[in-house]
Amino acid sequence: MTILRQPTRAGVRDAAAKLNGVVPPSPLFTHEIKGVPVAFKAESLQPVGAFKLRGAWHRLTAIEPKMRDRGVVAFSSGNHAQGVAWAAKRLGMPAVIVMPADAPVTKREATLALGAEIVSYDRATESREKIAAHLAGARGATLVPSFDDAWVIEGQGSAGVEASAQMEAMGLGAPTHAVVPCGGGGLAAGIALALPDATITPVEPEGWDDMRRSLEAGWIEPVGDNPPKTACDALMTREVSALTFEVLARRGCVGVAVSEAAIAEAQRWAARYLRLVVEPGGAVALAAVLTGQVSVEPGMLVVLSGGNVDPEAYARVLAGEAVEAPAFPALSRAGQ
Amino acid sequence: MTILRQPTRAGVRDAAAKLNGVVPPSPLFTHEIKGVPVAFKAESLQPVGAFKLRGAWHRLTAIEPKMRDRGVVAFSSGNHAQGVAWAAKRLGMPAVIVMPADAPVTKREATLALGAEIVSYDRATESREKIAAHLAGARGATLVPSFDDAWVIEGQGSAGVEASAQMEAMGLGAPTHAVVPCGGGGLAAGIALALPDATITPVEPEGWDDMRRSLEAGWIEPVGDNPPKTACDALMTREVSALTFEVLARRGCVGVAVSEAAIAEAQRWAARYLRLVVEPGGAVALAAVLTGQVSVEPGMLVVLSGGNVDPEAYARVLAGEAVEAPAFPALSRAGQ
């Protein structure tokens, strides 16, 4: 079902135009770090708590009218599920989300509240890819990948178009350097296309930094066999896609990996200074800036990509307790 | 130093016009409660984490040019201090904040970071009112009350002007009912002036509901001698002012008091569904809606007035632990 089309800057602009009036621009805040005003794009404040509705909207609105009634299928236990469900609901299309049986109740509830149907699978014995492909085939529905798709990448890139306009309106000028959380790379690649003159730094959790290693190697390297635990459920992607990798590689991007402790500290910083609830995966770019792994500079844009936290885990982070990361899913490729 | 002038709707509009371009409108979000879209005005996302910069800006810009160099004095251990310091810094005016010696380090740091001078006093043996009046007299500085002042009330009301425009732009129409946190009543009175056709419900913590009792009685009744502990440090006002009371009384407003448990639940709800860090005092209006003490209706506006939390106390609230409220200051009139 993968459509062989490269994402383009024109596509990103088209996505931004399509989103205009559908959702208001997510807020952009500035806060000084080491005396330099840094811009924060709060995608955590989107209606579904993450940027994912951007790619979903651009993708679903590109489905041919005669195919729309058959709906869409996605596999995800988190933010992508809600993005697809949100877009499908607004377009009056049926949506089926393939979700592990042990997904957090909060995420199941949020997806159901958006009107989607959930098909559960057992992580240990079943493949969600196969289930999703089977469902899509049987229903004639369109499969919506979480990042390996030109429309999805272009849609996510609309965040960069918006942020650039907001920064210019605030007198900060267009972004010169965007620091972006990276799982499969859809958001980072989309923003790279949106901002052709900016440095783009994709940021991942340590041990899940396959984009960083891939960019260094010059070819795609998957996550190793025994990746460490991470609190960043939204960034646990086993392998990036050729589409996202090539956009970032062609730009000569250099990735950064941040520690779990730095991520927790970034979540605390966001709560205290920005009064924002940011999920671990949404805080990695901020973590890279706060640790000094990325140097602060004028024109810097930091993307806070999501705010869907597990309340108990978040309370522990704010209390400053040792970060207890959940186990990563054992058998299936973890999504966004 | 109290200026004998009543706040007016024209003054509120003037304040809104003065703030336009100085700070961007705080974000307004909608979320369905019981199937009805409710608008949330996130004053917690202001640069100082609360609405207080509005009144401070309107007041400080009304000071005669020849008096500006002498600066301003305010007494507050919290949000008002930061609002005054923020406005003074932007206007290049010196600011002195009279703050209890045992004020939280985070609030002292935030006030110092805004360039203000802090004068400490001992809650047990000294009167901050006297210290502030003495400082103002000795320096020829202008005293900026936290709510008992026409300019301050009008400035806070600009939040209502903004929210109304935002709701109309989103197709929700002008607010029909505004639910507003209330300490001294500056924000509630200001918003009442901003929205002459809306129902205004001021909300206070139980035991500190002197505005509610005053509106019921028809005259100002102070908080009783032994008020209960409350987590709402921003709303611990011992007595409302004639200026704020009269605006709300003339409108026939009815107040609501909410429990500490309901306030904690509202903070958790805001973190989960709005991804916002809201302080206890900033969450009381939301608490009144979630408990059903205020019925949800179309056109409803709920103000989230501040987001400056004590990190440890906030972590305990999110963890759902029993709410441990701090002791209220024993001797001085608690401010905002």
Side-chain angles (χ1 to χ4, degrees), chain A residues 5-188:
Chain A
R5 180 173 83 76
Q6 302 289 324
T8 66
R9 189 175 183 213
V12 173
R13 286 178 163 171
D14 182 34
K18 278 159 62 176
L19 276 157
N20 189 9
V22 175
V23 275
S26 63
L28 184 130
F29 305 101
T30 59
H31 195 92
E32 282 193 7
I33 297 181
K34 293 170 192 165
V36 180
V38 174
F40 294 94
K41 182 69 169 162
E43 290 292 294
S44 54
L45 295 176
Q46 290 286 7
V48 299
F51 67 94
K52 294 289 190 175
L53 49 73
R54 298 179 178 277
W57 186 258
H58 189 46
R59 182 73 195 85
L60 268 59
T61 51
I63 293 172
E64 284 176 60
K66 63 177 182 182
M67 290 287 285
R68 289 195 182 185
D69 289 348
R70 301 190 177 180
V72 289
V73 175
F75 48 87
S76 160
S77 57
N79 294 337
H80 179 56
Q82 290 183 57
V84 170
W86 182 91
K89 185 181 182 188
R90 295 224 18 171
L91 293 167
M93 292 168 66
V96 182
I97 309 294
V98 182
M99 203 176 262
D102 61 351
V105 175
T106 55
K107 294 197 171 171
R108 294 181 77 87
E109 281 177 0
T111 307
L112 288 172
L114 288 164
E117 179 187 345
I118 293 180
V119 171
S120 294
Y121 72 98
D122 180 349
R123 288 187 201 260
T125 59
E126 296 179 286
S127 153
R128 65 182 191 175
E129 288 83 352
K130 281 189 190 163
I131 294 170
H134 174 75
L135 280 169
R139 303 189 182 199
T142 304
L143 189 65
V144 182
S146 62
F147 58 86
D148 189 19
D149 179 278
W151 278 274
V152 171
I153 294 166
E154 289 167 352
Q156 320 302 31
S158 64
V161 176
E162 265 181 34
S164 188
Q166 289 169 311
M167 287 175 68
E168 297 219 31
M170 291 170 81
L172 295 168
T176 55
H177 187 167
V179 194
V180 188
C182 179
L187 183 61

Side-chain angles (χ1 to χ4, degrees), chain B residues 10-274:
Chain B
V12 174
R13 286 179 164 168
D14 181 35
K18 277 157 64 175
L19 276 157
N20 189 9
V22 175
V23 274
S26 63
L28 184 129
F29 304 100
T30 60
H31 194 91
E32 283 193 6
I33 298 181
K34 294 169 191 163
V36 180
V38 174
F40 294 94
K41 182 69 170 162
E43 290 292 295
S44 54
L45 296 175
Q46 291 286 8
V48 299
F51 66 95
K52 294 289 190 177
L53 49 73
R54 297 179 178 277
W57 186 259
H58 189 45
R59 181 72 196 84
L60 267 60
T61 51
I63 294 172
E64 285 175 62
K66 62 177 181 182
M67 291 286 285
R68 289 196 182 184
D69 288 347
R70 302 191 177 179
V72 289
V73 175
F75 48 88
S76 159
S77 57
N79 294 337
H80 178 57
Q82 291 182 56
V84 170
W86 181 91
K89 185 181 182 187
R90 296 222 19 169
L91 292 166
M93 292 166 66
V96 182
I97 308 295
V98 181
M99 204 176 261
D102 60 352
V105 175
T106 54
K107 294 196 171 173
R108 293 181 76 88
E109 281 177 359
T111 307
L112 288 172
L114 288 163
E117 179 187 345
I118 293 179
V119 171
S120 296
Y121 72 98
D122 180 349
R123 287 188 203 259
T125 59
E126 295 178 286
S127 154
R128 65 181 190 174
E129 289 83 352
K130 282 189 191 162
I131 295 170
H134 174 75
L135 281 169
R139 303 190 183 198
T142 304
L143 188 66
V144 182
S146 62
F147 58 86
D148 189 19
D149 179 279
W151 278 272
V152 170
I153 294 167
E154 289 167 351
Q156 320 302 30
S158 64
V161 176
E162 264 181 36
S164 188
Q166 288 169 310
M167 287 175 68
E168 297 219 33
M170 291 170 83
L172 296 168
T176 56
H177 188 168
V179 193
V180 188
C182 179
L187 182 62
I191 288 179
L193 291 168
L195 307 174
D197 300 321
T199 302
I200 308 293
T201 302
V203 185
E204 296 160 296
E206 284 179 2
W208 292 86
D209 52 339
D210 52 315
M211 181 65 91
R212 186 192 67 73
R213 289 190 296 105
S214 300
L215 290 169
E216 202 174 75
W219 55 77
I220 293 175
E221 294 203 339
V223 166
D225 276 344
N226 289 301
K229 288 186 180 182
T230 176
C232 303
D233 55 290
L235 305 183
M236 289 160 69
T237 311
R238 289 291 195 149
E239 191 174 323
V240 303
S241 85
L243 291 180
T244 57
F245 171 72
E246 276 168 22
V247 168
L248 298 178
R250 224 177 290 135
R251 285 281 281 276
C253 293
V254 176
V256 166
V258 292
S259 71
E260 295 297 305
I263 294 165
E265 184 58 32
Q267 289 183 278
R268 287 189 285 271
W269 192 94
R272 176 161 171 188
Y273 294 108
L274 303 177

Side-chain angles (χ1 to χ4, degrees), chain A residues 142-328:
Chain A
T142 304
L143 189 65
V144 182
S146 62
F147 58 86
D148 189 19
D149 179 278
W151 278 274
V152 171
I153 294 166
E154 289 167 352
Q156 320 302 31
S158 64
V161 176
E162 265 181 34
S164 188
Q166 289 169 311
M167 287 175 68
E168 297 219 31
M170 291 170 81
L172 295 168
T176 55
H177 187 167
V179 194
V180 188
C182 179
L187 183 61
I191 288 179
L193 291 168
L195 306 174
D197 300 320
T199 302
I200 308 293
T201 302
V203 185
E204 296 160 295
E206 283 179 2
W208 292 85
D209 53 339
D210 53 314
M211 181 65 92
R212 187 192 66 76
R213 287 189 297 105
S214 300
L215 290 169
E216 201 173 76
W219 55 78
I220 293 176
E221 295 203 339
V223 166
D225 277 343
N226 290 300
K229 288 185 180 183
T230 176
C232 303
D233 55 291
L235 305 183
M236 289 161 69
T237 310
R238 290 292 195 148
E239 191 174 322
V240 303
S241 85
L243 290 181
T244 57
F245 171 72
E246 275 168 23
V247 168
L248 298 177
R250 223 177 292 133
R251 284 281 281 277
C253 293
V254 177
V256 166
V258 291
S259 72
E260 296 295 306
I263 294 165
E265 184 58 33
Q267 289 184 277
R268 286 189 286 271
W269 192 94
R272 176 161 172 188
Y273 294 107
L274 303 177
R275 292 96 185 174
L276 295 176
V277 174
V278 181
E279 65 183 274
V284 292
L286 172 58
V289 173
L290 293 177
T291 58
Q293 290 172 274
V294 173
S295 299
V296 182
E297 59 185 84
M300 178 164 273
L301 168 67
V302 174
V303 180
L304 304 169
S305 52
N308 291 321
V309 296
D310 171 69
E312 287 174 22
Y314 185 62
R316 284 197 299 274
V317 167
L318 290 190
E321 290 171 30
V323 185
E324 264 189 64
F328 64 89

